[in-house]
Amino acid sequence: MCVPGDRPGRTTGGEALGSERRREREKEQRRSAILRAARKEFFEKGFRSVTVDTIARRAELSKGAIYLYFKSKEEIYAQILLRDIDKFHDRVETLLDTSKSASDNLRQYADVYAAFFLSDRELFRIFMNFMLQHNPVNFTPNINDHIVKSTNQTVIIIEQILQMGVNRGEFPPDLNIRVCRNALWGLLNGIIALHIFSGREETREERVRTQLREGLEVFIKGLRAV
Amino acid sequence: MCVPGDRPGRTTGGEALGSERRREREKEQRRSAILRAARKEFFEKGFRSVTVDTIARRAELSKGAIYLYFKSKEEIYAQILLRDIDKFHDRVETLLDTSKSASDNLRQYADVYAAFFLSDRELFRIFMNFMLQHNPVNFTPNINDHIVKSTNQTVIIIEQILQMGVNRGEFPPDLNIRVCRNALWGLLNGIIALHIFSGREETREERVRTQLREGLEVFIKGLRAV
DNA sequence: GAATGATGGTCATTAACTGACCGATGGTCA
DNA sequence: TGACCATCGGTCAGTTAATGACCATCATTC
């Protein structure tokens, strides 16, 4: 990296000392600090009403510095979502337990699903938006695909559980899995959405869980009786 | 801080955002990191054979950066010494326990003294050099004074203990405190020095302590019999 | 529909850091 | 003894990271 007017023999070569590792590390830490700060902001106020300035202030940086690490406000948001979605994906992926009944698996699924979204309401909004095919933030195609794929995966798990129930004779053999899957998924999201979008902020988790369980039991009973 | 050729209205004013606090904090951390690295180096190899480059490498910085925080190798050394000496000073200052006998106080003193220097041999070298009035490193007068004052303080504590013993009749009333103080101080340092300067690096603390205790008992017996 | 205010993004300027270089010093060998 | 060499404290031209005043844009108000 030399400028034309350099004095000869005074160029800055590639770093030989151990400081490059340190700088790499510190850069990564700054990046994380921004994401941490932004996450808090986004999940407190939602995408629109958060300003880059407040993120910067929370991360104890200037606005300009934010743009050294991310190329837009959208990108920050996307990065946070990707991280959270992957976390959720991991949780859900290891959920299927073949040693238990299909019904118990459905109950377990509902628990994990509710716990995750009740701890991150904003994340639930985004998921909903993606599922319903109208996203408010314009992500790059790559990111879009990733989110869509991950969200779809959660639905597929329900399908797998239902299939397991059919194979074992727990549910009737002529069960329309596709329809039931959508119905159950709608049930879960409906109850959660009801509370999250109700306007009142102080939704108690326990109450949502109880409702979910009750709804689920009705659903399972229905499944068996088809 | 404007340069003559500035575009008007594009000056950088005083910082209003919260990043100044962060920068202050990080600067302090860098400083500490350098001191930590330097301390390890100095106390492994001694002042002379440590290079500024190795300190820099250990602190994961460049040599130039070191000189942004300290103006010379000597200053780094002095800062470390001041910190350690103050620590020692604090330890010794709260040592005097008037509820115990003077003899026990002397034993306690010897223990603390030995523990401190056996954990930092290089520090002991420096103390010795100051006590014997020939210091190998040229500190600024301020630092010199501070070190001399602190080192003297440790000797005065011995004097106070002896005085306490005389007042209580534990030691003879005609005891020459100045002479005894120097003798005891010499005894302590002699035994420690013997081990630290012996060449063999693996001096075991326990052995030094035992010798110190034995020497001290002989000395105390002598004091009483004067 | 002009004025206003808020906000995402830019860029001239500054601060932090880097490492090749310099001069002094001490050791070595002809 | 003096030319040579290696080492090391300290310097500084150059690079990278960070700052915040500014700009363009868009929604809102009057």
Side-chain angles (χ1 to χ4, degrees):
Chain A
M1 273 43 158
C2 303
V3 164
D6 251 349
R7 238 165 78 194
R10 197 63 181 268
T11 54
T12 300
E15 303 194 28
L17 268 61
S19 59
E20 190 160 16
R21 274 225 327 276
R22 193 205 83 234
R23 289 177 68 176
E24 212 74 34
R25 205 174 57 228
E26 287 179 347
K27 242 158 118 169
E28 197 45 56
Q29 286 170 351
R30 279 267 190 283
R31 210 185 136 81
S32 295
I34 294 170
L35 284 178
R36 245 194 331 275
R39 192 175 195 284
K40 283 180 198 148
E41 286 290 314
F42 284 138
F43 289 75
E44 274 173 14
K45 309 181 200 161
F47 183 79
R48 304 299 295 279
S49 42
V50 167
T51 69
V52 178
D53 252 318
T54 59
I55 295 174
R57 196 140 342 152
R58 195 157 190 161
E60 293 184 288
L61 283 167
S62 67
K63 187 155 72 166
I66 301 291
Y67 287 90
L68 290 173
Y69 291 89
F70 301 94
K71 69 182 209 300
S72 69
K73 185 181 165 188
E74 270 80 9
E75 203 208 332
I76 300 176
Y77 199 50
Q79 294 289 337
I80 292 170
L81 286 181
L82 287 185
R83 236 173 30 173
D84 286 345
I85 284 170
D86 283 345
K87 204 167 63 182
F88 178 62
H89 194 261
D90 290 348
R91 277 282 279 289
V92 164
E93 204 155 45
T94 59
L95 195 143
L96 203 69
D97 182 352
T98 51
S99 73
K100 289 183 179 170
S101 71
S103 304
D104 277 347
N105 269 294
L106 288 179
R107 291 184 187 103
Q108 171 75 5
Y109 182 89
D111 259 8
V112 169
Y113 200 79
F116 197 84
F117 285 120
L118 284 173
S119 71
D120 271 331
R121 290 154 187 238
E122 187 66 19
L123 188 56
F124 180 74
R125 283 199 183 96
I126 304 303
F127 258 60
M128 280 294 99
N129 275 316
F130 265 88
M131 289 302 197
L132 302 174
Q133 307 298 333
H134 52 81
N135 40 336
V137 185
N138 278 328
F139 296 118
T140 64
N142 271 354
I143 292 169
N144 241 328
D145 285 356
H146 190 95
I147 296 178
V148 169
K149 215 177 112 195
S150 274
T151 46
N152 285 343
Q153 183 62 24
T154 66
V155 183
I156 290 174
I157 295 273
I158 300 181
E159 209 167 300
Q160 289 174 341
I161 297 175
L162 290 174
Q163 188 64 58
M164 189 176 91
V166 169
N167 293 345
R168 294 182 176 184
E170 196 176 336
F171 302 139
D174 60 343
L175 194 76
N176 188 329
I177 288 179
R178 181 65 55 94
V179 169
C180 288
R181 159 199 109 173
N182 285 338
L184 181 51
W185 188 73
L187 176 75
L188 292 178
N189 288 323
I191 292 174
I192 294 172
L194 195 68
H195 284 84
I196 287 186
F197 297 142
S198 69
R200 289 178 307 161
E201 276 300 313
E202 24 53 271
T203 305
R204 271 173 310 165
E205 281 201 33
E206 210 34 65
R207 198 151 155 231
V208 183
R209 268 164 208 270
T210 309
Q211 283 192 22
L212 267 178
R213 277 188 175 261
E214 285 171 3
L216 195 60
E217 292 312 320
V218 173
F219 184 82
I220 290 174
K221 208 173 290 179
L223 273 185
R224 290 212 171 98
V226 162
Chain B
M1 274 60 150
C2 302
V3 165
D6 250 350
R7 241 167 76 194
R10 197 62 181 268
T11 54
T12 300
E15 302 194 30
L17 268 60
S19 59
E20 190 161 17
R21 273 226 326 276
R22 192 206 83 234
R23 291 178 62 183
E24 213 74 36
R25 204 175 57 229
E26 286 180 348
K27 241 159 118 169
E28 196 45 55
Q29 285 170 352
R30 274 279 131 86
R31 211 185 135 80
S32 294
I34 295 170
L35 284 179
R36 245 195 330 275
R39 192 176 194 284
K40 283 180 197 149
E41 286 289 315
F42 283 138
F43 289 74
E44 274 173 14
K45 309 181 199 161
F47 182 79
R48 304 299 296 279
S49 41
V50 167
T51 70
V52 178
D53 251 318
T54 60
I55 295 174
R57 195 138 346 150
R58 195 156 192 161
E60 292 184 288
L61 284 167
S62 66
K63 187 155 73 166
I66 302 290
Y67 286 91
L68 291 173
Y69 291 88
F70 301 94
K71 68 180 210 302
S72 69
K73 186 182 166 188
E74 269 80 9
E75 202 207 334
I76 301 176
Y77 199 51
Q79 293 288 336
I80 293 170
L81 285 181
L82 287 185
R83 242 178 16 178
D84 286 345
I85 283 171
D86 283 344
K87 204 166 65 183
F88 178 63
H89 193 261
D90 290 346
R91 277 281 281 290
V92 164
E93 204 154 46
T94 57
L95 194 143
L96 202 70
D97 182 353
T98 50
S99 73
K100 288 183 180 172
S101 71
S103 303
D104 276 346
N105 269 295
L106 288 179
R107 291 184 187 103
Q108 171 75 6
Y109 181 89
D111 259 8
V112 170
Y113 199 80
F116 197 85
F117 284 120
L118 285 173
S119 70
D120 273 328
R121 288 153 189 239
E122 187 66 18
L123 188 56
F124 180 73
R125 283 199 183 96
I126 303 304
F127 258 60
M128 280 294 100
N129 275 315
F130 267 88
M131 289 301 195
L132 301 174
Q133 307 296 336
H134 51 82
N135 42 334
V137 185
N138 277 328
F139 297 119
T140 64
N142 272 354
I143 292 170
N144 241 329
D145 285 356
H146 190 95
I147 296 177
V148 169
K149 214 176 113 195
S150 274
T151 46
N152 285 342
Q153 184 61 24
T154 66
V155 184
I156 290 174
I157 295 275
I158 301 181
E159 208 167 299
Q160 289 172 343
I161 297 174
L162 290 175
Q163 188 62 58
M164 190 176 90
V166 170
N167 293 346
R168 293 179 177 185
E170 196 177 334
F171 301 138
D174 60 342
L175 194 75
N176 187 327
I177 288 179
R178 182 64 55 95
V179 169
C180 286
R181 159 200 110 173
N182 285 339
L184 179 52
W185 189 73
L187 175 73
L188 293 177
N189 288 322
I191 292 175
I192 295 171
L194 194 67
H195 285 83
I196 287 186
F197 296 142
S198 70
R200 290 177 307 161
E201 276 300 313
E202 22 57 89
T203 305
R204 273 173 310 168
E205 282 201 31
E206 209 36 63
R207 197 150 155 232
V208 184
R209 268 167 208 272
T210 310
Q211 284 192 20
L212 267 178
R213 277 188 177 263
E214 285 172 3
L216 195 60
E217 293 312 320
V218 173
F219 185 81
I220 290 174
K221 206 174 293 179
L223 274 184
R224 291 210 172 100
V226 163

